[in-house]
Amino acid sequence: MATAHSQFGEESQETRSEMDNQTYTQPHHVEDVEIQEWFESLDSVLEASGPDVAREILERLRAHATVNGIDLPFTANTPYTNTIPLRLEPLFPGDQELERRIKSLIRWNALAMVVRANREEHNIGGHISTFASAATLYEIGFNHFWRGRSDSFEGDTIYFQGHAAPGMYARAFMEGRLSKEKLENFRRELKPGGGLSSYPHPWLMPDFWEFPTVSMGLSPLMAIYQARFQRYLENRGMKPATDAKVWAFLGDGETDEPESLGAITLASREKLDNLIFVINCNLQRLDGPVRGNGQIIQELESAFRGAKWNVIKVLWGSEWDPILERDSEGLLVKRMGELVDGEYQKLVVSSGAYVREHFFGHDPRLLKLVEPLPDEALRRLRLGGHDPKKVYAAYKAAVDHKGGPTVILARTIKGYGLGEAGEGKNVTHQQKKLNEDELKEFRSRFGIPLNDQDCIEVPFYRPAEDSPEVQYLRARRETLGGYTPARAVRSKPITTDNEELFKEFHDGSEGREVSTTMAFVGMLRKMLKDPEIGKLVVPIVPDEARTFGMESLFRTVGIYSSVGQKYEPVDVNTLLYYKEAKDGQILEEGITEAGSMASFIAAGTAYSTNGINTIPFFIYYSMFGFQRIGDFVWAAADMRTRGFMLGGTSGRTTLSGEGLQHQDGNSHVLALPVPNLRAYDPAYAYEIAVILQDGIKRMYRDGENIFYYITVMNEPYVMPPMPAGAREEILKGMYKFRAASNKKAKLRAQLFGSGAILNEVLQAQEILEQKFGVAADVWSVTSYKALYTDGIEAERWNRLHPTEKPHVPYVTQCVGDAPGVIVAATDYLKTLPNMISKWMPRRMATLGTDGFGRSEGRASLRDFFEVDAKFIALATLHELALDGKIEASAVEKAITELGINPEKWNPVVS
Ligand SMILES: Cc1ncc(C[n+]2csc(CCOP(=O)(O)OP(=O)(O)O)c2C)c(N)n1
Ligand SMILES: [Mg+2]
């Protein structure tokens, strides 16, 4: 039958069903003997010619099936069994019994930490079950794989699962790195002598934790970009290529977060064989099963395999091997693949008899396989993630794998070892207390040398320094190059003060109209050429380089690509062609603000991770910054990231045309909560130059743990030269830009402006003077955040030192004695200027851009949001009327004169 698509080799539905009907009229079940024949021939190929030949035969068989009309659906899944079969398992190199004892003690101390903390302070929280399920996954890493950082080797980079923190503390205690007192003060950081933070926080424990991981989904994405950044440093010749790895530990529930899987194709595209994910598949999250009605492991396998990762499933422990071996028909593996996770969870909490009946009892042939085993043995059939040999084999295969990233899907039991206290139960995530019987049971199960009486006190237990356990674990870490986690600043400070570099930008643009973005790009270009810092600069941009006029950098410093440029770019004949290069300096990330931020974090913490002072400049559409990836910014702050975030095309009324989604009047408010972030809204090129120069000095010379947010705009105007003596004041947050010319005028005002709105304020200054006889001083407020922080600091000091000479907030120092009314205009929410109003000598009127943006030109937008020169003039006159300096009727007259419609829309609510 002819079909419309037949010339393209496709069949229509009709053709297919017709063919199906003709050929396969009777339903036909595979006979056991038939399948047995197939298995046998594959086994003999495997034996005779090895796995590569067997793989090729299967692939060709699949192609043959397709050609013959067998519609095999695409599946990236393998059967529900271990990826590494017993015969390919390497020998376990450690002392298994000693390692088991060490692990048991760590289990005990981790549990003790949480139980004790909650006895001491009710509801202080903590997690037992997460580490309980992951202990083997960590211990194999600590004893056999993770290399510490030293002067001679950079070491492995490990993202520990946040809720497993008690386990890492317990190990550090065993290693002699944390005292009993510290453990005692888990979650009590303010106790004398200090305590331990609930989760990994480099801000709080800067010698210990490197990466904050507890906000789920951030660490997998950060780990991918971290691994890529290692390659970037190598390819740019900034560090030697090594076999150091980046490991990230995730919960299976955590993979629900879109960030967790959001960048996995980057990892395979970049062939990051320095990256290993370990997903602890205990099949549970906080409330209950991750996929009660499905199989999270198979779902993850297909996602990762589909993204071309090397996937290693570690599902079944060694006890299953002999049973699997007896299963010549493949019935057991088939049965394993049939159960949904909710059923598996039920099996975990059930008796051996239940397992026999409900799992094996499905088929008499399966029952026969386990006939020799008593019920107790069935209950104790271990899962892969709890079997050191299986975990070791997976890790070994992962570190040896070449050409791409590896994910290990390890099946475990949540709350392993807690028994009645919560093993495998839905409530287990929040279990923090164990009764006496449960404690004794745990103690006995793991052989902790404590009698009944001592046990119920839940003491921390560390064997003597010369015990085999402590000796062994110390020796292992020594062989592996030192302890982990451990954080240190590994880079040397830069030496230059960059005075010469930035000087030219103090002079203004000499009549030329430029935007602050252009001015910034000019500075970036110059920094890139600098002999000391040029190499360290890492420009990061999420597909907006042209928007910001940065395309000239494509050619000069190149776009980083791990494979260079395999094609002739379409614009090769132009001056600014799209040049990709292996040693390219720009990280052109594509459309991912989250990924770009992860690169920013990797580059901004390389001073610690890699001992290299890279200086990231992440420039992006400001509205897609804090608002979209705020939690990454928080993590960056926690990690003591250094660098510059540049919110481009910012300002609610400065970005014309784009409208509601793009016009940013929010980001400076969203920058407020981040304690170590310095936020600036500069108006002129010299302000940016001063801020950048000072920032580089503070972060990279003086080693301060701060980072910067600077908004830059695309409105072109003439950049004036820097007024004498303004430098320090720019950094502090405000300075007088232009004083009133008529200082003797009766009507006076102080006007504040920031960013592009400063120009409106300057126009208002003229209108007020020329039309209304008001003499106004104009201030450029470069940072409301800085003024606010300074103000609350002064206030606090005064409260605590009531008899001493009070500190005066910097804003009060600026305008405390200044005459006249005070008006502030900003392109951001009114709350920004309002934050400092209490330190003003008088009331302050505030104009800002609260509300949704509009697609319009700048003039209309500023009229709509009431932040243009005429509204600034009106606000000033109104303040003068409130002060009794002029009549209200004069204000009304001015409204008409200024052409303002008093009944216009209210931008805040329209
Ligand atoms: C972004 C974010 N949302 C919610 C939480 C709260 N939370 C903490 S642990 C947890 C469940 C974790 O489940 P899973 O990832 O499977 O880890 P497991 O403890 O089972 O290893 C949740 C929801 C969080 N830490 N971060
Ligand atoms: Mg889980």
Side-chain angles (χ1 to χ4, degrees):
M1 184 176 164
T3 72
H5 300 293
S6 57
Q7 67 271 36
F8 301 115
E10 293 178 20
E11 303 169 3
S12 73
Q13 262 327 101
E14 292 156 78
T15 329
R16 166 63 56 82
S17 51
E18 206 169 76
M19 194 173 87
D20 285 352
N21 287 343
Q22 279 168 10
T23 326
Y24 317 111
T25 42
Q26 295 300 317
H28 178 84
H29 293 293
V30 180
E31 294 294 337
D32 290 345
V33 47
E34 270 180 275
I35 194 75
Q36 201 54 41
E37 280 170 16
W38 283 82
F39 283 175
E40 276 165 20
S41 40
L42 186 68
D43 287 350
S44 68
V45 170
L46 199 54
E47 206 164 301
S49 315
D52 288 343
V53 175
R55 192 174 302 119
E56 188 181 338
I57 289 177
L58 286 172
E59 272 162 18
R60 288 175 65 175
L61 199 58
R62 171 187 262 280
H64 187 71
T66 308
V67 169
N68 283 287
I70 300 171
D71 184 15
L72 288 173
F74 168 76
T75 171
N77 274 128
T78 59
Y80 200 84
T81 191
N82 291 345
T83 306
I84 303 173
L86 179 61
R87 62 186 176 78
L88 295 181
E89 238 175 72
L91 272 183
F92 186 77
D95 180 331
Q96 238 184 303
E97 176 48 26
L98 206 45
E99 289 192 20
R100 193 190 60 77
R101 290 217 308 270
I102 294 168
K103 183 169 61 186
S104 296
L105 293 172
I106 293 174
R107 285 181 185 284
W108 173 262
N109 288 316
L111 172 140
M113 206 181 310
V114 179
V115 173
R116 292 180 72 86
N118 284 277
R119 279 187 184 175
E120 174 99 351
E121 173 96 11
H122 181 60
N123 271 344
I124 198 83
H127 300 82
I128 299 173
S129 298
T130 299
F131 177 69
S133 70
T136 303
L137 302 179
Y138 285 113
E139 279 304 295
I140 293 298
F142 280 121
N143 283 327
H144 300 284
F145 290 92
W146 301 333
R147 292 154 303 174
R149 301 195 196 282
S150 68
D151 291 342
S152 55
F153 182 67
E154 63 190 310
D156 294 317
T157 299
I158 304 148
Y159 293 75
F160 297 94
Q161 198 186 348
H163 297 78
M168 308 314 126
Y169 293 142
R171 176 165 243 276
F173 169 64
M174 290 283 289
E175 291 166 344
R177 297 201 293 147
L178 288 178
S179 67
K180 220 175 248 191
E181 290 66 42
K182 286 273 187 195
L183 262 61
E184 198 70 67
N185 292 337
F186 172 57
R187 290 192 166 226
R188 302 299 302 275
E189 297 183 83
L190 303 180
K191 282 267 179 114
L196 299 174
S197 64
S198 49
Y199 303 116
H201 293 301
W203 188 261
L204 304 173
M205 294 178 62
D207 303 328
F208 194 83
W209 294 117
E210 292 184 297
F211 306 107
T213 50
V214 78
S215 178
M216 297 198 177
L218 302 194
S219 81
L221 193 119
M222 288 196 289
I224 291 174
Y225 283 85
Q226 176 73 257
R228 206 273 301 252
F229 191 69
Q230 307 299 324
R231 289 284 156 80
Y232 169 89
L233 290 175
E234 287 168 14
N235 283 324
R236 284 194 54 217
M238 298 178 78
K239 77 172 187 70
T242 69
D243 67 348
K245 307 279 181 208
V246 175
W247 295 70
F249 280 78
L250 284 61
D252 47 359
E254 181 172 9
T255 61
D256 283 344
E257 292 285 1
E259 293 90 347
S260 297
L261 305 188
I264 59 173
T265 53
L266 172 88
S268 44
R269 194 160 66 241
E270 292 289 310
K271 302 193 170 33
L272 298 178
D273 51 19
N274 58 343
L275 177 66
I276 298 165
F277 274 13
V278 181
I279 307 187
N280 177 13
C281 297
N282 52 29
L283 313 187
Q284 286 182 245
R285 42 182 166 74
L286 190 151
D287 282 340
V290 180
R291 295 284 184 275
N293 292 312
Q295 295 177 319
I296 184 64
I297 291 176
Q298 296 301 86
E299 185 178 322
L300 290 173
E301 177 185 36
S302 60
F304 278 96
R305 257 189 221 287
K308 297 198 163 67
W309 281 52
N310 175 38
V311 179
I312 302 175
K313 292 196 288 195
V314 187
L315 309 189
W316 310 104
S318 304
E319 292 82 355
W320 288 87
D321 285 331
I323 312 176
L324 283 161
E325 217 128 85
R326 287 202 291 277
D327 175 36
S328 56
E329 298 168 79
L331 293 171
L332 181 53
V333 172
K334 186 166 170 287
R335 176 70 182 139
M336 286 165 163
E338 283 167 1
L339 265 60
V340 292
D341 289 354
E343 290 175 291
Y344 269 126
Q345 192 188 347
K346 182 79 192 294
L347 288 174
V348 160
V349 298
S350 301
S351 66
Y354 185 95
V355 175
R356 190 183 304 276
E357 184 187 341
H358 289 89
F359 182 72
F360 294 100
H362 187 72
D363 185 320
R365 291 168 297 178
L366 284 175
L367 268 179
K368 208 162 164 31
L369 286 178
V370 289
E371 218 168 40
L373 299 177
D375 285 352
E376 186 50 21
L378 288 191
R379 206 175 73 80
R380 294 227 170 265
L381 284 171
R382 257 184 318 175
L383 295 179
H386 297 301
D387 184 335
K389 290 203 304 201
K390 300 287 179 199
V391 174
Y392 178 84
Y395 285 10
K396 177 91 176 61
V399 297
D400 289 347
H401 181 72
K402 294 273 176 295
T406 293
V407 59
I408 292 163
L409 303 172
R411 239 199 95 179
T412 63
I413 295 172
K414 191 144 176 171
Y416 184 71
L418 290 183
E420 281 306 303
E423 185 169 280
K425 295 187 177 157
N426 278 339
V427 293
T428 196
H429 188 82
Q430 280 156 316
Q431 179 62 286
K432 301 168 203 342
K433 294 176 183 164
L434 272 71
N435 65 30
E436 294 184 2
D437 286 342
E438 290 163 348
L439 282 170
K440 285 188 226 160
E441 171 72 31
F442 189 92
R443 178 265 336 249
S444 303
R445 174 156 181 189
F446 292 107
I448 312 299
L450 291 171
N451 63 32
D452 282 3
Q453 195 52 40
D454 290 345
C455 165
I456 58 177
E457 298 298 322
V458 220
F460 296 120
Y461 182 88
R462 182 170 186 261
E465 190 60 38
D466 59 358
S467 63
E469 288 87 352
V470 172
Q471 292 292 309
Y472 183 88
L473 119 178
R474 278 191 187 277
R476 289 311 307 149
R477 290 314 312 164
E478 215 159 282
T479 310
L480 288 162
Y483 294 104
T484 187
R487 183 185 172 281
V489 172
R490 292 167 224 279
S491 60
K492 297 227 169 6
I494 63 167
T495 54
T496 172
D497 64 5
N498 291 309
E499 190 61 33
E500 278 309 305
L501 199 158
F502 288 103
K503 222 161 90 189
E504 74 174 73
F505 301 100
H506 296 175
D507 298 340
S509 60
E510 291 164 354
R512 231 165 30 97
E513 291 196 334
V514 293
S515 66
T516 47
T517 307
M518 285 165 73
F520 162 72
V521 173
M523 293 174 213
L524 183 62
R525 207 176 290 128
K526 198 149 180 230
M527 283 186 275
L528 283 162
K529 288 193 194 131
D530 184 80
E532 183 173 15
I533 65 165
K535 228 179 149 188
L536 300 172
V537 169
V538 181
I540 303 168
V541 61
D543 200 31
E544 295 284 357
R546 292 182 200 281
T547 313
F548 305 129
M550 289 167 65
E551 61 269 42
S552 67
L553 299 179
F554 290 168
R555 173 76 186 275
T556 47
V557 294
I559 295 165
Y560 172 72
S561 155
S562 57
V563 293
Q565 195 156 33
K566 293 176 169 179
Y567 60 96
E568 185 176 277
V570 65
D571 51 3
V572 71
N573 295 326
T574 64
L575 198 62
L576 308 177
Y577 78 87
Y578 197 84
K579 181 182 153 199
E580 298 194 62
K582 209 165 169 176
D583 63 352
Q585 197 158 352
I586 301 172
L587 286 172
E588 158 57 271
E589 298 290 15
I591 311 166
T592 167
E593 283 75 15
S596 305
M597 190 65 200
S599 281
F600 176 78
I601 291 171
T605 51
Y607 73 91
S608 151
T609 315
N610 305 100
I612 302 171
N613 261 327
T614 37
I615 310 174
F617 289 87
F618 169 28
I619 182 162
Y620 57 92
Y621 233 114
S622 76
M623 195 65 157
F624 304 123
F626 294 90
Q627 187 150 308
R628 187 170 179 120
I629 51 158
D631 211 14
F632 279 103
V633 181
W634 190 251
D638 188 347
M639 281 171 81
R640 301 162 176 256
T641 304
R642 298 171 185 166
F644 296 93
M645 297 169 65
L646 291 122
T649 47
S650 68
R652 183 100 69 206
T653 67
T654 304
L655 176 60
S656 65
E658 289 290 342
L660 183 153
Q661 182 60 71
H662 293 67
Q663 290 160 346
D664 169 30
N666 312 343
S667 64
H668 275 290
V669 177
L670 300 176
L672 289 174
V674 186
N676 51 349
L677 178 72
R678 300 184 64 81
Y680 285 97
D681 181 12
Y684 299 131
Y686 64 81
E687 293 178 1
I688 299 176
V690 165
I691 296 161
L692 289 182
Q693 185 191 347
D694 186 61
I696 293 173
K697 179 175 104 38
R698 290 180 66 169
M699 293 186 284
Y700 298 96
R701 206 180 78 174
D702 305 341
E704 282 192 57
N705 293 305
I706 51 175
F707 64 129
Y708 283 74
Y709 177 55
I710 304 173
T711 40
V712 287
M713 294 146 303
N714 64 357
E715 180 174 355
Y717 46 81
V718 173
M719 296 291 154
M722 179 158 83
R727 187 194 289 231
E728 284 311 308
E729 301 182 336
I730 290 170
L731 297 171
K732 283 166 132 176
M734 70 187 289
Y735 65 98
K736 195 184 280 180
F737 177 73
R738 195 202 281 161
S741 52
N742 177 11
K743 298 215 171 39
K744 294 206 185 90
K746 272 220 271 317
L747 300 176
R748 295 298 311 269
Q750 305 299 318
L751 306 181
F752 299 172
S754 315
I757 296 297
L758 184 57
N759 293 322
E760 297 292 332
V761 176
L762 290 166
Q763 270 183 50
Q765 183 189 36
E766 279 170 30
I767 296 170
L768 283 164
E769 188 162 329
Q770 285 162 16
K771 290 199 174 156
F772 302 101
V774 181
D777 295 327
V778 172
W779 300 78
S780 172
V781 178
T782 49
S783 176
Y784 281 108
K785 185 175 183 186
L787 297 177
Y788 173 70
T789 311
D790 168 80
I792 55 173
E793 174 55 26
E795 230 173 36
R796 173 181 176 273
W797 194 90
N798 295 342
R799 194 181 307 124
L800 294 169
H801 306 87
T803 59
E804 294 186 45
K805 189 170 169 240
H807 288 182
V808 181
Y810 175 62
V811 277
T812 317
Q813 291 173 35
C814 288
V815 292
D817 300 327
V821 296
I822 304 169
V823 176
T826 170
D827 220 2
Y828 295 84
L829 303 187
K830 294 181 180 74
T831 198
L832 273 185
N834 284 345
M835 291 192 308
I836 60 163
S837 63
K838 65 170 164 172
W839 300 300
M840 296 285 140
R842 288 172 291 287
R843 196 186 53 248
M844 179 168 105
T846 307
L847 303 178
T849 59
D850 303 51
F852 282 126
R854 288 290 190 284
S855 309
E856 256 301 350
R858 286 190 189 103
S860 303
L861 284 167
R862 287 174 183 163
D863 173 59
F864 176 73
F865 279 103
E866 303 166 11
V867 290
D868 62 5
K870 61 182 188 298
F871 274 98
I872 297 164
L874 168 62
T876 312
L877 295 171
H878 183 235
E879 287 298 301
L880 286 165
L882 290 176
D883 261 10
K885 297 278 188 324
I886 60 173
E887 295 295 326
S889 57
V891 184
E892 188 154 30
K893 198 163 150 248
I895 288 178
T896 316
E897 266 181 65
L898 290 165
I900 291 171
N901 169 12
E903 306 311 325
K904 73 180 275 295
W905 287 351
N906 175 1
V908 181
V909 292
S910 56

